[in-house]
Amino acid sequence: MGITLKDLLALGRVNPQDSAESFNMAYLAARGCARVNAVSRLHGRVSRQLFQALFPRWPTDEVPIGHVTNGVHTPTWDSPAADDLWTKACGRDRWRETTESLEHRIRAVADSTLWQLRNTSRKAMIEYARARLARDLLASGASTDEVQGTSRIFDPNILTLGFARRFAAYKRPNLLLHDPERLLHLLTDAQRPVQLVLAGKAHPADDAGQSLIRQWIQFIRHTAARQHVIFLSDYDMLLTERLVQGADLWVNTPRRPWEASGTSGMKVLVNGGINLSELDGWWAEAFTPEVGWALGDGEEHGDDPAQDAAEAEALYELLENKIVPEFYTRDEQGIPVAWVARMRKSMAQLTARFSANRVVREYAEQYCIPAAKAYCDRATGNGSAAVPIVAWQHRLAQAWSALRFGEMGIQTAGGEHIFTLKVHLNGLDPVDVSVEIYDNGLGADAPIRQEMQPARQLKNSTSPPRVSGARLRRSSGFGLHSAYCAEEWRCPDTN
Ligand SMILES: *Cc1c(COP(=O)(O)O)cnc(C)c1O
């Protein structure tokens, strides 16, 4: 690249001069990119804080990191039965269409058809899980009895929960295990039993993750849970595919805001699975009460054990009082009407929205095409657009140190404030600069940034140019922060 190692490393630091600062790959990437984006709305907010240091004195909300929420490649994750249902309802172009048209047509599918899909998919997944467990047991040298016993595990008519992911501590894979007695009660209820299929792996060096897996294995070995819980090893995409096709309910319990997006929950949508998840990552923007269930209060609490306990309690309560009853309340045809209604809304409203189709379109429209256009603009005429920019930078660099603000006037009437400001331009043309007024907002008020309009300058006047006419209106409290006061101005880097 024609740069020294020292210069390369400097690009990965907040302070390029500080050789003691460790090298950060994400900083290097951000400095080398035309645009930066996060992978969910909440992740965007978190990322603007994480990268704030690269944009000193910028308001956090304006750190230039947007978001494109992840989506999954729908045809990869749908079961043959789900694909059949969608093709009949929406035609062969089902995954190429917009959210709106799909939504409309899934609404017209009969309850019995949707419920049939669920029953078929659950049964297929259970058969696969039994066979896979038998294979695992055989490989670990279990007795013939034990291996044959796998054919009696699980029941294809029971509410089936799926939980499969990397066992990393922030995902709290043992939140459901918080009160083992209560979980056991839930699983083994005589009238309304529940079964749970778990899969996952932890990084070999992640002792905490390994220990979380051991806790589950012990729970399964030493209790009456054995018929109701399966742990499958060697979690990979093939296993994910089977689980997301068959689970009625997909459970996700990360510690907010650590789940950047999460994608496994999106994989169940096309198959009619319903999500029960912490309001984190994609679910923080996808959740509405009609499409699934939410955990947590939408706030961050760190790794406070009291909060984990409260959320475990909420998880059990949701399952006991809302989810299990909804699954087992049937009409005269044996259809759980409220469950199917939720399933339909989740399929209709979320499948296309959290698909790769929408993602690719957003990347193209918001990122790739504007970046390509900007490149063409720069490249036109052999980069001639750069000439006035460089001249402007030189003018600015020379005048900058003596630029200053003069007095500011405020007129207030009816909750509206009109600001006028004198600016000593040190010989610059008023069009060389722009002056903005910035209100940080009080409490829940969003910040306001507004460009001030140059007032007409009198010919031959000796008084400095004035800037006027910025109007700010606030319904409630009003706080003007002089974050951009004169002494904090620095000359932009002209290199
Ligand atoms: C989808 C998928 C993931 C991501 O799962 P999350 O629950 O979103 O973390 C991880 N591993 C495999 C094999 C997957 O298919």
Side-chain angles (χ1 to χ4, degrees), residues 411-441:
Q411 277 176 295
T412 298
E416 189 173 65
H417 308 267
I418 299 174
F419 297 87
T420 48
L421 177 69
K422 282 184 183 162
V423 182
H424 300 268
L425 285 175
N426 191 25
L428 286 176
D429 193 304
V431 300
D432 282 338
V433 299
S434 88
V435 178
E436 293 175 339
I437 190 155
Y438 179 76
D439 171 8
N440 204 28

Side-chain angles (χ1 to χ4, degrees), residues 241-264:
E241 191 181 332
R242 297 305 191 117
L243 300 186
V244 297
Q245 291 174 356
D248 297 300
L249 186 78
W250 196 254
V251 182
N252 189 24
T253 52
R255 187 172 278 131
R256 180 176 158 124
W258 284 79
E259 184 93 302
S261 166
T263 52
S264 62

Side-chain angles (χ1 to χ4, degrees), residues 95-321:
W95 312 134
R96 297 210 173 90
E97 297 200 22
T98 61
T99 328
E100 297 74 26
S101 58
L102 290 179
E103 202 174 319
H104 182 69
R105 285 188 265 177
I106 283 295
R107 285 224 185 90
V109 178
D111 275 10
S112 57
T113 308
L114 291 176
W115 188 232
Q116 184 59 43
L117 167 68
R118 207 75 296 295
N119 288 329
T120 313
S121 311
R122 186 188 316 108
K123 186 156 178 284
M125 188 261 266
I126 288 170
E127 281 162 9
Y128 177 80
R130 283 172 178 159
R132 185 131 174 174
L133 184 64
R135 197 197 69 184
D136 283 1
L137 286 173
L138 208 58
S140 69
S143 69
T144 319
D145 269 4
E146 240 183 303
V147 175
Q148 282 172 355
T150 56
S151 65
R152 290 187 301 276
I153 290 182
F154 273 28
D155 177 334
N157 301 307
I158 288 181
L159 170 60
T160 304
L161 276 49
F163 186 100
R165 49 189 46 84
R166 288 177 297 115
F167 272 50
Y170 85 84
K171 290 185 180 262
R172 297 187 296 188
N174 58 350
L175 199 70
L176 255 178
L177 254 189
H178 192 83
D179 181 346
E181 282 304 311
R182 195 161 170 188
L183 176 62
L184 202 57
H185 234 82
L186 192 75
L187 295 166
T188 58
D189 186 283
Q191 261 74 52
R192 303 183 309 188
V194 175
Q195 55 202 9
L196 169 63
V197 49
L198 298 154
K201 54 174 130 183
H203 191 279
D206 179 3
D207 289 338
Q210 299 287 351
S211 133
L212 294 170
I213 292 181
R214 272 197 302 279
Q215 284 174 33
W216 272 112
I217 304 284
Q218 270 157 19
F219 176 77
I220 299 169
R221 282 220 184 104
H222 297 294
T223 66
R226 206 168 305 174
Q227 299 298 316
H228 296 263
V229 189
I230 294 182
F231 187 99
L232 296 174
S233 53
D234 293 334
Y235 176 50
D236 60 10
M237 275 181 66
L238 182 66
L239 180 52
T240 310
E241 191 181 332
R242 297 305 191 117
L243 300 186
V244 297
Q245 291 174 356
D248 297 300
L249 186 78
W250 196 254
V251 182
N252 189 24
T253 52
R255 187 172 278 131
R256 180 176 158 124
W258 284 79
E259 184 93 302
S261 166
T263 52
S264 62
M266 300 174 186
K267 298 169 190 166
V268 307
L269 299 170
V270 67
N271 295 299
I274 296 177
N275 280 276
L276 159 58
S277 170
E278 178 77 25
L279 286 170
D280 195 9
W282 78 287
W283 195 238
E285 66 199 85
F287 170 74
T288 58
E290 48 183 18
V291 297
W293 290 278
L295 263 186
D297 56 6
E299 301 284 331
E300 282 92 59
H301 300 272
D303 56 359
D304 176 9
Q307 182 63 21
D308 289 352
E311 290 190 15
E313 172 69 30
L315 180 58
Y316 294 128
E317 269 183 20
L318 266 177
L319 285 163
E320 290 161 353
N321 303 329

